[in-house]
């Protein structure tokens, strides 16, 4: 996919997230982004790159469409500093980071919970726990493919991620959930790419 109308996400989005986190860690001022300020649901993901391997360091986003300038500024920091699974990213880790931005689109609620494609669609599920409490969970499109999960395994993993506390997940129970599929346009930028970008702007 090229950076045309069908590719809504560009590396500029990731570079801006690096600028935002760099500003937080160093106090350096952020330049106003130049990419279009359209509205999208979005996720920001930070990975540590160690010996060529990616290790998740934070991933948080929002399914409510928001202007990307403010959305990226907000979630670049939330995902870096406030993902409850991890300690906040430090200044020492900054040179080992890669940033990915996912802009979400084409949301479709499906009648058949298996009516989506691994590696093509992300899933958003809404369900009730055993005590009747309403819960939700999502996986971005790349997750099931990276984990080599089947559709059933992906749904079950999303249920557990969302807090389902039942001892066993049956097919009868799976059929009670509401599933929405969506697509994501994702780009990634490494720290080295970010530094080259900064140097080119300074020259």
């Amino acid at each position: 996919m090229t950076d045309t109308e069908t590719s809504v996400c560009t590396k500029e989005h990731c570079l801006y997230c690096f600028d935002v986190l760099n500003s937080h860690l160093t106090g350096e001022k952020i330049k106003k982004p130049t990419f279009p300020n359209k509205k999208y649901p979005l996720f920001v993901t930070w990975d540590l790159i160690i010996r060529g391997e990616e290790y998740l360091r934070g991933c948080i986003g929002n399914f409510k469409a928001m202007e990307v300038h403010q959305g990226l500024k907000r979630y670049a920091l939330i995902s870096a500093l406030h993902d409850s699974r991890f300690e906040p990213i430090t200044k020492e880790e900054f040179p080992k980071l890669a940033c990915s931005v996912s802009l979400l689109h084409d949301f479709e609620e499906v009648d058949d919970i298996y009516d989506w494609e691994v590696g093509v669609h992300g899933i958003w599920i809404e369900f009730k726990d055993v005590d009747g409490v309403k819960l939700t969970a999502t996986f971005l499109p790349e997750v099931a493919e990276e984990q080599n999960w089947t559709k059933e395994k992906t749904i079950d993993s999303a249920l557990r991620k969302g807090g389902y506390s039942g001892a066993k997940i049956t097919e009868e129970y799976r059929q009670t959930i509401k599933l929405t599929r969506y697509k994501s346009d994702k780009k990634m930028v490494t720290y080295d790419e970010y530094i080259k970008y900064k140097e080119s702007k300074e020259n």
Side-chain angles (χ1 to χ4, degrees), residues 175-188:
Q175 292 300 328
T176 67
I177 72 173
K178 185 164 87 171
L179 189 144
T180 299
R181 69 185 187 187
Y182 61 88
K183 293 180 181 178
S184 166
D185 194 15
K186 180 181 178 181
K187 293 290 185 294
M188 174 188 271

Side-chain angles (χ1 to χ4, degrees), residues 52 87 102 121 154 158 165 179-180 188:
E87 291 294 316
S102 301
H121 297 104
T154 306
S165 60
L179 189 144
T180 299
M188 174 188 271

Side-chain angles (χ1 to χ4, degrees), residues 20-34:
V20 171
L21 183 55
N22 180 58
S23 175
H24 172 81
L25 294 172
T26 68
E28 193 174 319
K29 286 189 176 180
I30 309 170
K31 292 179 181 176
K32 189 176 179 181
T34 56

Side-chain angles (χ1 to χ4, degrees), residues 14-78:
C14 307
L15 292 166
Y16 180 59
C17 290
F18 261 113
D19 269 345
V20 171
L21 183 55
N22 180 58
S23 175
H24 172 81
L25 294 172
T26 68
E28 193 174 319
K29 286 189 176 180
I30 309 170
K31 292 179 181 176
K32 189 176 179 181
T34 56
F35 48 81
N37 196 21
K38 294 183 178 180
K39 288 186 175 183
Y40 289 99
L42 58 87
F43 276 74
V44 177
T45 303
W46 295 100
D47 290 293
L48 279 178
I49 309 294
I50 301 173
R51 291 186 289 277
E53 295 291 320
E54 295 173 20
Y55 297 91
L56 182 63
R57 198 61 184 77
C59 178
I60 297 180
N62 197 318
F63 277 88
K64 184 178 179 181
M66 59 181 69
E67 292 180 343
V68 291
H69 289 186
Q70 187 59 35
L72 292 177
K73 188 175 183 179
R74 177 177 172 80
Y75 282 97
L77 292 182
I78 291 176

